[in-house]
Amino acid sequence: MIPATFDYVRVTSVADAVQALTSAEDAKLLAGGHSLLPLMKLRLAYPETLIDIGRVEEMKGVREDGNRLVIGAATTHYDVLSNPLVQQHCGVIADVTAKVGDPQVRHRGTHGGSLAHGDAASDMPAMALALNARFVAEGPGGRRDIEASDFFSDYLETALAPDEVLLEVSWPKLPDGARWNYQKFTRVTQGWAIVGALAVVAGNGAIDHAHIGLTNMGSTPVRASGVEAALAGVDTGDTAAIDAACEQAAEGTSPPSDLNGDAAYRQHLARVLTRRAVRAALS
C-alpha cells in the first residue's frame, strides 16, 4: 500500500531534531524506518512530517561511562553487535541484537528505534527492562534520564514526550563471570517472537543474582522478578530447584491472545523457555 502524503525534513543535529518536532503539528522521527514505514504503508500511522535523524552523528556510536556502556540511539543493530566494547563488557546485547529481524533489518534498523517503538514482541525491550537500562531523552526543556522500569508505559507507548528525541541508551557492564542465554520461539525463522525469555545469571557455585526478561507476555515487556528472587542463592547444579524457580515465570502476566496462540499457551511457553534459558546460561 502507499502511505499518506507527508513532509520530509532532514536534520544533522539533536537540537535541530527537537526544533523540528516542536515546530511540526504531527511529526515522527525516522531513523532505520523498519518499524515506522510498514505502519505508514498500512495507513496505521500517518504523520504529517517525517524528521530524518539518520545523519545525526552525535546519536551514533558506543562509549564507556564508568561502569556502564552508552549506545547512541541511531547506532545500527549491526554496528552494535559488532562493537568490541559491547562484546567485551555486555555481550548479551550483541547476542540478543543478532536475533533482531534479518540481516537487512540489522544493517538499517537502529538500537534506539527498536526500543522507542515500544513493541513488547520485539527482542530489545525485555532485555532493557531486565538489565535496568537507562534512557536519555532530549527535548525543549533539556535532557532527562528515564529508567527502563518507567520507560515502557503501554502497547507501543513509551515515556518519551512527543517533542523529545531518544538520544542514547545506557547499559550496565556485566560483572566477570556473568552468563546469559536468550530463547525465542517463533512460527517462522527470523519472525516475531510468540514468546521469548532472556536469562542473565552471575555467581560461582551458587547464583548470586539473576535477571529474567520476557518478550511478548503483555502489552509491555515483563521482568520475571519472582523467578529472579527464587533463583538467588540456588546451587548452579541443583536442576530441581532451578526448574521450580522457572515455573514462576508466567505469574502475574497478561499475555495477548491472538492468532499466534492463546494466553495459556504463551504462559506455558514462558515457563519452558525461561527454564531453557537459565539452564543454557548456567551450562
Side-chain angles (χ1 to χ4, degrees):
M1 295 179 65
I2 300 174
T5 302
F6 59 87
D7 294 328
Y8 173 81
V9 178
R10 176 182 289 167
V11 297
T12 57
S13 71
V14 174
D16 289 343
V18 173
Q19 177 60 38
L21 281 173
T22 305
S23 302
E25 191 71 27
D26 179 22
K28 293 289 186 182
L29 297 175
L30 174 68
H34 284 282
S35 298
L36 176 61
L37 294 182
L39 293 177
M40 292 178 62
K41 289 180 179 180
L42 293 171
R43 299 291 180 101
L44 296 175
Y46 30 88
E48 294 182 3
T49 305
L50 283 188
I51 303 170
D52 189 344
I53 57 174
R55 299 191 181 185
V56 180
E57 294 301 319
E58 60 189 297
M59 295 177 63
K60 298 180 180 180
V62 181
R63 73 177 193 278
E64 294 182 74
D65 183 13
N67 62 352
R68 300 184 73 89
L69 283 182
V70 180
I71 302 177
T75 309
T76 65
H77 294 307
Y78 177 78
D79 287 341
V80 169
L81 66 89
S82 60
N83 185 276
L85 287 176
V86 173
Q87 295 175 354
Q88 177 184 357
H89 296 294
C90 200
V92 62
I93 298 176
D95 285 357
V96 174
T97 301
K99 293 181 172 63
V100 173
D102 53 31
Q104 292 90 338
V105 169
R106 292 192 291 272
H107 274 79
R108 290 291 301 170
T110 61
H111 187 72
S114 179
L115 290 162
H117 186 51
D119 191 346
S122 60
D123 303 298
M124 306 295 290
M127 177 173 62
L129 186 62
L131 294 183
N132 300 313
R134 186 180 305 133
F135 299 84
V136 180
E138 182 164 339
R143 295 187 181 182
R144 68 183 180 112
D145 291 347
I146 309 170
E147 299 295 333
S149 56
D150 299 321
F151 188 75
F152 304 102
S153 54
D154 206 340
Y155 180 64
L156 299 182
E157 293 184 9
T158 70
L160 288 171
D163 56 0
E164 284 185 318
V165 178
L166 178 59
L167 180 62
E168 58 194 24
V169 186
S170 170
W171 300 85
K173 293 180 180 179
L174 296 183
D176 292 340
R179 292 162 285 177
W180 59 85
N181 184 263
Y182 180 51
Q183 296 284 324
K184 178 180 177 180
F185 185 81
T186 64
R187 282 188 179 274
V188 296
T189 302
Q190 300 173 338
W192 293 98
I194 295 177
V195 174
L198 171 70
V200 181
V201 295
N204 184 18
I207 299 173
D208 290 334
H209 57 264
H211 301 271
I212 311 293
L214 301 178
T215 298
N216 212 10
M217 284 297 291
S219 58
T220 63
V222 173
R223 184 165 183 176
S225 55
V227 178
E228 294 176 350
L231 286 174
V234 170
D235 188 284
T236 56
D238 189 345
T239 56
I242 291 170
D243 291 353
C246 294
E247 283 297 305
Q248 302 182 46
E251 290 188 4
T253 61
S254 299
S257 181
D258 53 28
L259 294 177
N260 288 325
D262 62 27
Y265 178 56
R266 288 181 191 266
Q267 289 174 330
H268 168 71
L269 281 176
R271 292 188 288 268
V272 171
L273 296 179
T274 300
R275 182 173 67 248
R276 289 180 182 176
V278 173
R279 283 187 174 189
L282 292 173
S283 66

